[in-house]
């Protein structure tokens, strides 16, 4: 089987990425696409939307970036846009998947308690109040969505916001106070870094782009992400290098250039300093490119 040169990017799984309508929402179950994945969804990402996946039955393995969890239902994840994820599940498994455009997530961010900047996976007991409420709410979202022309986007967005806040209560980054200006600035910084980390911008360029001050930007980076702005940029470049090493067959020099390093030796030193291994050694231990579809 030939591996892809890039991490696949989809609209919804199996469909090419495309522009989304403002306020886009999509709801379906995992097994509605069983004929495409047969229980194994290869690592992929969604460039323009985040996803909630609520496993209401079954078990399996879930991957988010370079971490893997074994899980059994009930379990729920939130994955922001451009985060690589995939899973393998048994035939009895199923989940409700809610796909939400980035613009709608940005509009919701100040109204929910969960940080929408980082992925999270939570599991628990079906009888636990938090999970029973989440299950009931997402069933309502599914029913409303299937109402077709009569469906209310406002109702669905409200229910989804409650689900995200319940996830925070269950332990998903509950410490974030999403309504605070410093958090909003931190999330804007993350989005700016996602767009420009390849360009090797100095910190001052981010300050200018976000119309803030060096002090406020550094404060936002440290409070929201526990890092300096420079370290956030370097970690984003490292994350992309890991994605390409693990999920593609692209050569080292190509990957280095992709993330902004024209000198392969400099890229190798950068990678080794931050991981303790050379890019080639790290790929040998972690690569899943051979299994990509």
């Amino acid at each position: 089987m030939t591996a892809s040169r890039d991490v696949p990017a989809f609209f919804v799984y199996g469909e090419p990425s495309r522009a989304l309508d403002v306020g886009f929402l999509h709801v379906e179950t995992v097994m509605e696409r069983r004929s495409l994945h047969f229980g194994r969804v290869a690592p992929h990402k969604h460039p323009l939307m985040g996803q909630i996946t609520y496993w209401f039955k079954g078990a399996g393995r879930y991957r988010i970036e370079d971490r893997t969890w074994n899980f059994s239902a009930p379990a729920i994840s939130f994955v922001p846009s451009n985060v690589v994820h995939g899973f393998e599940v048994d035939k009895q498994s199923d989940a409700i998947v809610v796909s939400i455009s980035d613009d709608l997530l940005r509009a919701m961010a100040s109204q929910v308690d969960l940080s929408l900047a980082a992925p999270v996976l939570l599991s628990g007991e079906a009888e636990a109040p938090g999970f029973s409420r989440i299950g009931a709410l997402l069933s309502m979202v599914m029913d409303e969505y299937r109402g077709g022309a009569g469906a209310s986007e406002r109702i669905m967005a409200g229910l989804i916001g409650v689900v995200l806040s319940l996830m925070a209560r269950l332990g998903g980054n509950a410490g974030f106070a999403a309504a605070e200006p410093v958090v909003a600035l931190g999330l804007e910084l993350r989005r700016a870094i996602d767009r420009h980390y390849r360009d090797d911008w100095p910190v001052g360029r981010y300050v200018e782009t976000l119309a803030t001050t060096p002090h406020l930007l550094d404060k936002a980076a440290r409070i929201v992400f526990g890092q300096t702005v420079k370290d956030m940029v370097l970690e984003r470049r490292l994350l992309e290098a890991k994605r390409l090493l693990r999920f593609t067959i692209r050569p080292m020099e190509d990957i280095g250039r992709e993330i902004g390093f024209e000198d392969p030796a400099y890229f190798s030193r950068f990678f080794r300093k931050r991981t303790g291994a050379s890019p080639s050694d790290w790929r040998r231990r972690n690569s899943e490119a051979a299994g990509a579809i």
Side-chain angles (χ1 to χ4, degrees), residues 183-198:
V183 175
L185 179 58
L187 299 182
E188 286 295 328
L189 171 62
R190 179 183 181 272
R191 286 189 282 271
I193 289 172
D194 277 342
R195 292 191 298 269
H196 300 292
Y197 68 90
R198 296 178 177 88

Side-chain angles (χ1 to χ4, degrees), residues 69 158 160 180 189 265 281:
W69 293 266
I160 291 165
E180 294 181 9
L189 171 62
D281 287 344

Side-chain angles (χ1 to χ4, degrees), residues 187-235:
L187 299 182
E188 286 295 328
L189 171 62
R190 179 183 181 272
R191 286 189 282 271
I193 289 172
D194 277 342
R195 292 191 298 269
H196 300 292
Y197 68 90
R198 296 178 177 88
D199 301 329
D200 200 23
W201 277 12
V203 172
R205 185 74 180 273
Y206 288 101
V207 172
E208 178 183 350
T209 298
L210 298 174
T212 185
T213 68
H215 172 73
L216 289 177
L217 195 63
D218 183 67
K219 180 181 178 181
R222 291 178 184 276
I223 288 177
V224 180
F225 300 104
Q227 296 178 306
T228 65
V229 178
K230 183 177 180 180
D231 278 338
M232 284 183 65
V233 175
L234 293 176
E235 282 299 306

Side-chain angles (χ1 to χ4, degrees), residues 11-73:
F11 159 53
V12 290
Y13 189 77
E15 299 184 21
S17 182
R18 63 173 174 81
L20 302 181
D21 295 332
V22 174
F24 171 84
L25 276 171
H26 182 270
V27 187
E28 66 180 6
T29 65
V30 163
M31 289 308 171
E32 287 180 63
R33 291 181 182 267
R34 181 173 174 77
S35 62
L36 294 177
H37 56 69
F38 299 99
R40 181 185 184 276
V41 168
H44 65 285
K45 59 185 177 180
H46 304 284
L48 301 169
M49 64 188 185
Q51 283 188 329
I52 297 170
T53 304
Y54 173 64
W55 296 94
F56 56 86
K57 65 177 181 177
R61 297 175 66 208
Y62 204 91
R63 298 181 180 87
I64 300 178
E65 296 294 356
D66 58 351
R67 296 185 63 188
T68 302
W69 293 266
N70 293 319
F71 75 90
S72 59

Side-chain angles (χ1 to χ4, degrees), residues 85-127:
H85 59 287
F87 57 80
E88 298 172 4
V89 295
D90 58 37
K91 291 188 295 185
Q92 289 72 42
S93 299
D94 207 355
I96 296 173
V97 182
V98 182
S99 302
I100 314 153
S101 63
D102 279 347
D103 68 279
L104 182 54
L105 285 171
R106 282 194 293 271
M108 296 169 65
S110 64
Q111 305 299 318
V112 303
D113 296 329
L114 185 74
S115 165
L116 303 181
V120 60
L121 176 66
L122 302 164
S123 60
E125 300 294 331
E127 299 78 16

